[in-house]
Amino acid sequence: DAGVIQSPRHEVTEMGQEVTLRCKPISGHDYLFWYRQTMMRGLELLIYFNNNVPIDDSGMPEDRFSAKMPNASFSTLKIQPSEPRDSAVYFCASSPDRGTSYEQYFGPGTRLTVT
Amino acid sequence: AQSVTQPDIHITVSEGASLELRCNYSYGATPYLFWYVQSPGQGLQLLLKYFSGDTLVQGIKGFEAEFKRSQSSFNLRKPSVHWSDAAEYFCAVGATTGFQKLVFGTGTRLLVSP
């Protein structure tokens, strides 16, 4: 398996622009997670899906952030409009459904810089 | 809800010396426990996990961790550190009944001196 795939790996954009981050989870995994990592706040869970349905989005910072999972093999995290404080590394992770917490497999991340 | 504490923000170890990274958790029962490693510019990679059974678990890259219920700890160890082990290490805890998200610690950055 290719593992979790994220694109792009790096994104530089200007404040006010829309940014879309993409993720392909490991085939057969039923859970998908979006995290944000910064020096100040560490690793934060933004949202997670189970069988393409959002389960917990309490970590999404504000309405400028939205996430979708239209099918089992694709998810997007969108920021509109972007702000400099959104600069961070965004990770996608997936996990099989074993009924309880299980290990998560992380993608390589997307480094977002908003100028 | 579960929580996890990694008391050491930074640790410096000489190459060839032994290593122990601390992790303490809070949970009402025996949780699932994980250690992840993040090399610079990379995603998190699973080092090892504890679900049940033998309290000493072996992982990749020569790492091991020991679950101690009495101390609510899951410390990571390696007998001889290599320069390539320099990275950030995250402990995580998960519930064992009903799905809940993993809770990650704040991480410990390992520096390896020559």
Side-chain angles (χ1 to χ4, degrees), chain A residues 48-61:
Chain A
Y48 75 91
F49 296 82
N50 179 219
N51 292 323
N52 314 335
V53 176
I55 302 300
D56 182 352
D57 65 354
S58 60
M60 296 286 262

Side-chain angles (χ1 to χ4, degrees), chain B residues 11-25:
Chain B
I11 282 186
T12 300
V13 175
S14 298
E15 190 169 15
S18 63
L19 168 72
E20 182 167 25
L21 302 182
R22 296 184 291 166
C23 172
N24 293 97
Y25 69 88

Side-chain angles (χ1 to χ4, degrees), chain A residues 10-52:
Chain A
H10 302 273
E11 177 80 39
V12 180
T13 191
E14 292 183 349
M15 182 174 62
Q17 296 299 305
E18 177 180 295
V19 175
T20 299
L21 311 181
R22 297 173 176 80
C23 175
K24 176 179 169 57
I26 293 173
S27 177
H29 283 192
D30 298 300
Y31 284 89
L32 184 139
F33 307 82
W34 282 101
Y35 289 89
R36 178 173 68 176
Q37 186 178 42
T38 62
M39 290 291 291
M40 292 297 295
R41 302 173 68 91
L43 191 65
E44 302 174 274
L45 177 65
L46 301 178
I47 185 171
Y48 75 91
F49 296 82
N50 179 219
N51 292 323
N52 314 335

Side-chain angles (χ1 to χ4, degrees), chain A residues 9 31 33 35 37 39 42-43 45 48 56 58 89 91 95-97 99-109 111, chain B residues 2 32 34 36 38 41-46 49 51 88 90 93-102 104-106 109:
Chain A
R9 292 295 309 277
Y31 284 89
F33 307 82
Y35 289 89
Q37 186 178 42
M39 290 291 291
L43 191 65
L45 177 65
Y48 75 91
D56 182 352
S58 60
V89 181
F91 289 104
S95 174
D97 184 359
T100 58
S101 301
Y102 210 70
E103 67 257 37
Q104 296 176 18
Y105 296 82
F106 282 74
R111 181 174 294 278
Chain B
Q2 63 270 36
Y32 293 158
F34 309 85
Y36 285 82
Q38 183 181 28
Q42 304 296 315
L44 278 70
Q45 180 184 19
L46 181 67
K49 62 191 178 189
F51 284 176
E88 188 146 21
F90 293 89
V93 60
T96 56
T97 57
F99 183 83
Q100 293 184 41
K101 55 196 177 187
L102 291 185
F104 285 84
T106 52
R109 183 167 297 278

Side-chain angles (χ1 to χ4, degrees), chain B residues 25-104:
Chain B
Y25 69 88
S26 174
Y27 184 62
T30 300
Y32 293 158
L33 295 161
F34 309 85
W35 274 101
Y36 285 82
V37 61
Q38 183 181 28
S39 298
Q42 304 296 315
L44 278 70
Q45 180 184 19
L46 181 67
L47 275 178
L48 48 78
K49 62 191 178 189
Y50 173 78
F51 284 176
S52 66
D54 192 345
T55 56
L56 184 64
V57 293
Q58 303 296 321
I60 62 171
K61 306 185 180 186
F63 285 91
E64 66 178 26
E66 186 171 13
F67 168 61
K68 292 186 177 180
R69 185 193 312 273
S70 61
Q71 299 177 19
S72 297
S73 69
F74 189 57
N75 294 349
L76 182 71
R77 300 195 296 246
K78 187 170 185 178
S80 177
V81 168
H82 187 261
W83 64 267
S84 60
D85 294 324
E88 188 146 21
Y89 292 80
F90 293 89
C91 182
V93 60
T96 56
T97 57
F99 183 83
Q100 293 184 41
K101 55 196 177 187
L102 291 185
V103 175
F104 285 84

